[in-house]
Amino acid sequence: MRNLHQDQSFIIREFSSEEKNLFCALFEDTEVTKYLPYRSPEQYMEMFEIALEDYSKGPFGRFGIFNSETNDFIGMCLVRDFADVPGQMEIGYTLGKDYWGKGIATKVSRALVKYCFSATGGNEVVAVTDLDNIGSQKVLEKAGFRRLDNLRRTDRELAYYKVERSEVVI
C-alpha cells in the first residue's frame, strides 16, 4: 500500500479493499455531503472500487486520510487530471465532521500539492468548491491557492483556485 504523505498528524495512503465501509460511511452524513454533487450509496460503492483499480494505473486517484497515531479514519482525498482545463491537476478532500476546524484540511491540501508536483511534471494544481462553501475556500487560501474567476459549467458555477509549481517549496 503506497503512502502519498505521512507526518505526525496524518497519513494519506491508498485504501485497502477492507476499508470500503469506512469510505461509504463518510458520505452518509448530509452535513459532509452538503456541497458535493448528489450520489447514491451504490455510486459511492462503485467509486471505491474504481479507486482501488486506479492505483495500478498511475499516480492519481482517491486516497484515505488516517490519523498517524490511532489509525482512525479522517476522510478521503483525490488527485486527478482536471477535466475542465488540460494540463492542470485537481485536488479535493472530504473530511468527517469530527475533523473539521482543526487545520487538517489545510495540511492535507498542502501535502496533495507537494505530491502533485513531485509525482508529475505538471505546473498547476487547482481545486474547485461550491460558491457557498466558504470553509473550503478559506482552507484553499491558507494552503497557498489563489482564487481565479469562477469556473462556469453547464449545470453550475464553482469557486476556482490555483497554485503554480513556482509558488511552492517542495
Side-chain angles (χ1 to χ4, degrees):
M1 208 175 332
R2 179 172 46 125
N3 284 1
L4 274 64
H5 171 87
Q6 182 168 357
D7 63 24
Q8 296 160 338
S9 304
F10 61 88
I11 299 167
I12 300 174
R13 65 165 173 78
E14 293 178 352
F15 282 105
S16 70
S17 58
E18 296 81 28
E19 293 167 333
K20 184 181 211 173
N21 289 340
L22 285 176
F23 179 89
C24 292
L26 176 66
F27 299 101
E28 291 173 1
D29 186 326
T30 55
E31 285 185 74
V32 169
T33 60
K34 179 178 180 177
Y35 298 112
L36 299 176
Y38 173 78
R39 289 188 173 89
S40 68
E42 294 77 22
Q43 288 172 307
Y44 283 114
M45 285 188 259
E46 183 179 326
M47 184 187 293
F48 183 82
E49 294 302 326
I50 292 168
L52 295 180
E53 293 170 15
D54 284 346
Y55 297 147
S56 64
K57 297 178 183 174
F60 295 157
R62 287 182 168 79
F63 303 92
I65 308 165
F66 295 86
N67 182 297
S68 290
E69 291 181 17
T70 64
N71 204 37
D72 287 345
F73 181 59
I74 294 172
M76 62 78 61
C77 57
L78 66 83
V79 179
R80 63 183 174 198
D81 288 317
F82 189 46
D84 296 85
V85 180
Q88 291 182 335
M89 297 169 282
E90 179 185 15
I91 66 160
Y93 59 85
T94 304
L95 303 184
K97 210 168 25 179
D98 291 347
Y99 298 95
W100 294 0
K102 299 179 191 263
I104 295 170
T106 301
K107 291 177 185 174
V108 165
S109 296
R110 287 180 183 142
L112 293 175
V113 167
K114 286 183 180 182
Y115 173 76
C116 285
F117 291 144
S118 65
T120 75
N123 290 313
E124 298 179 337
V125 176
V126 299
V128 295
T129 70
D130 187 280
L131 292 177
D132 295 329
N133 192 346
I134 304 303
S136 278
Q137 293 170 30
K138 288 179 180 177
V139 162
L140 293 170
E141 289 167 4
K142 286 180 195 172
F145 284 78
R146 288 178 288 108
R147 181 140 183 197
L148 305 174
D149 290 339
N150 290 346
L151 180 71
R152 289 175 176 77
R153 292 184 173 157
T154 52
D155 59 335
R156 61 195 275 200
E157 193 170 333
L158 298 164
Y160 183 32
Y161 288 83
K162 178 173 79 168
V163 65
E164 296 180 16
R165 181 183 290 270
S166 62
E167 301 169 321
V168 177
V169 177
I170 299 176

